Amino acid sequence: MEGSLLLWTTRLLTLLALVVSVLPMIPSGEWWIRLWEFPRLQLACALVLPLGLLAIQAWRYRPRAEHGLWLVALLAIGGWQVSHILPFTSLWPAEVPAAENEPDEPRATFKLLTANVTYNNERYGELLDRVRREDPDILLLIEVDRAWAEALAPLDEHYSHRVGEVRGEGLGIVLWSRFPLLEQEVKHLVSDRRPSVFATLELPESGPVRYVGIHPVPPGLRDRITRNDESSERRDSRVRDAELMLVARHVEEDPDNRWIVTGDFNDVAWSDTTRLFSSLSDLKDPRRGRALLNTYPAELPLLRYPIDHLFVSDGFHLVDMDRVRMPGSDHFAISATLSVAHKDRQKPEASAEEQQEASEMIEEGDEDADEHGVSSD
């Protein structure tokens, strides 16, 4: 009886792991499908349980062919999940080159900090002190509402330039910069409630750099109109995906400039959407070949995912990158110091299939925004 229970438990857990591993392959924007792209590391670790049960059952009741089949299935599932994680470890080649000290060719360096402050966080003074200690040259803060804007007003003494939009409900986004802004604009790419920051920074000794700060809607978020209603509709991933594709198209259409795109993507680094974003824009993730730097949720270490991102074009080398604990926020901030390399950027060349996939994402995102009455048109 005990042996049968162990084997049935192993079967059920293996089949469950198989289902949630296959779900993200379905071309659907449904939030309950897309969310299974997030916990790949956690799912890989969870396979220890059915593997352990299988080993115990085989040891106590003699191995047979079925044990081998379930073992192969579990190892295949684990290998599939781990294959998404490995590019974000030191076992993989670095995508953004490390900056090297070259006395004969000094390079300008600058520091960026991207942080979701969490709009209902009231630890204003502590977070402001943390930002001052980090002392970035370029600072993007997300979920800046009126209370946060007032608390962060002292930053204007340290930064000569600012652009953004202050909004409630976690929708505000503001950029501070020590470098002049040659161009600046707040755009609403898909939803009229979701601003994005577009700017051109004039870096000393390096020239202009195009910069984008974004915070697309997370899949699974309840609709604003019926948020307190447990039966209310949860948002799928279509608006988020469309916004990322539109940013990628902006970069793709201007390949001659250097680009930096950063923000809370509400999407993991290894998802198909983020992969397509990188392919279309030809932007690089400095974490690839280095470390995951999981950022959310900050208070739950075992459930953290890398959803706060920094992407850069060719022409940047990485001096240092880390995550920073922000007092009261449910996100870690991403801090990076970059140097500017004197290298021409190649025009990104995405395949026709990738271009079509991006176009479909944008169209579906526009339709979803229209359905929910948040279209930017």
Side-chain angles (χ1 to χ4, degrees):
M1 180 65 180
E2 181 185 358
S4 178
L5 179 61
L6 284 173
L7 191 54
W8 272 107
T9 302
T10 300
R11 290 168 179 162
L12 289 173
L13 291 175
T14 304
L15 290 173
L16 179 61
L18 179 61
V19 168
V20 298
S21 297
V22 169
L23 274 177
M25 300 180 189
I26 299 174
S28 170
E30 293 292 335
W31 69 270
W32 57 271
I33 292 177
R34 295 274 65 84
L35 286 182
W36 287 108
E37 289 184 314
F38 285 61
R40 293 195 183 276
L41 179 59
Q42 290 81 359
L43 288 171
C45 294
L47 293 177
V48 171
L49 177 57
L51 281 170
L53 294 177
L54 184 66
I56 293 172
Q57 210 279 342
W59 173 64
R60 296 187 64 175
Y61 301 97
R62 295 183 181 179
R64 53 181 190 267
E66 184 181 4
H67 292 116
L69 291 175
W70 290 116
L71 176 61
V72 169
L74 287 167
L75 292 178
I77 294 169
W80 172 247
Q81 300 291 4
V82 169
S83 70
H84 292 77
I85 309 300
L86 280 180
F88 300 91
T89 70
S90 58
L91 299 175
W92 216 257
E95 196 167 72
V96 176
E100 299 178 358
N101 293 323
E102 299 179 0
D104 296 334
E105 188 182 351
R107 296 173 177 173
T109 64
F110 60 96
K111 183 176 181 180
L112 304 97
L113 183 72
T114 300
N116 185 322
V117 300
T118 307
Y119 72 99
N120 56 6
N121 173 18
E122 297 182 351
R123 295 170 65 177
Y124 306 112
E126 295 173 69
L127 192 141
L128 182 60
D129 288 342
R130 183 62 51 83
V131 169
R132 285 169 170 164
R133 286 200 297 273
E134 290 296 321
D135 194 31
D137 300 298
I138 302 169
L139 170 67
L140 182 75
L141 296 182
I142 298 166
E143 298 199 7
V144 177
D145 60 9
R146 187 172 298 278
W148 269 106
E150 293 176 358
L152 296 169
L155 290 176
D156 293 340
E157 301 175 6
H158 301 278
Y159 296 91
S160 302
H161 310 279
R162 182 181 70 176
V163 58
E165 185 173 303
V166 175
R167 297 193 65 150
E169 300 185 73
L171 301 173
I173 185 168
V174 181
L175 170 71
W176 285 266
S177 172
R178 289 199 174 103
F179 306 126
L181 302 181
L182 303 179
E183 299 174 338
Q184 60 185 62
E185 184 179 1
V186 175
K187 295 186 179 183
H188 300 82
L189 297 171
V190 183
S191 168
D192 62 1
R193 303 181 66 239
R194 290 270 169 182
S196 300
V197 173
F198 284 70
T200 301
L201 311 175
E202 179 67 23
L203 268 63
E205 303 178 17
S206 304
V209 171
R210 302 294 300 276
Y211 177 94
V212 185
I214 60 175
H215 183 214
V217 62
L221 183 71
R222 290 192 184 277
D223 247 1
R224 175 182 60 164
I225 298 173
T226 55
R227 183 167 296 168
N228 295 324
D229 180 0
E230 290 300 319
S231 63
S232 65
E233 181 182 0
R234 289 186 181 272
R235 302 298 300 276
D236 61 25
S237 71
R238 291 186 295 170
V239 170
R240 178 202 67 186
D241 298 345
E243 184 165 329
L244 291 175
M245 294 307 105
L246 286 169
V247 173
R249 286 277 173 86
H250 273 86
V251 179
E252 184 185 25
E253 291 168 2
D254 186 12
D256 296 328
N257 272 307
R258 295 187 174 95
W259 284 85
I260 297 172
V261 178
T262 185
D264 174 2
F265 282 31
N266 279 309
D267 196 18
V268 283
W270 50 75
S271 78
D272 287 342
T273 302
T274 302
R275 176 200 57 78
L276 183 58
F277 167 84
S278 178
S279 180
L280 283 175
S281 63
D282 197 35
L283 297 182
K284 309 298 191 297
D285 185 344
R287 287 171 303 187
R288 291 180 72 94
R290 292 184 171 91
L292 269 176
L293 298 182
N294 294 331
T295 57
Y296 174 87
E299 67 275 12
L300 298 173
L302 297 180
L303 294 178
R304 286 181 193 152
Y305 319 111
I307 68 172
D308 298 273
H309 297 271
L310 166 68
F311 282 87
V312 298
S313 63
D314 291 333
F316 292 104
H317 288 181
L318 184 67
V319 177
D320 180 61
M321 186 174 187
D322 204 354
R323 62 185 182 184
V324 179
R325 171 76 76 170
M326 305 303 286
S329 174
D330 55 2
H331 288 248
F332 281 89
I334 289 291
S335 169
T337 301
L338 299 169
S339 71
V340 181
H342 300 292
K343 179 181 179 181
D344 293 334
R345 185 173 173 236
Q346 301 298 315
K347 181 178 176 59
E349 294 184 1
S351 68
E353 183 180 351
E354 289 173 327
Q355 293 285 4
Q356 179 62 29
E357 186 178 357
S359 296
E360 291 173 358
M361 285 184 176
I362 294 170
E363 183 177 348
E364 291 173 359
D366 286 337
E367 291 174 358
D368 184 74
D370 288 337
E371 289 173 9
H372 292 84
V374 295
S375 174
S376 61
D377 296 333

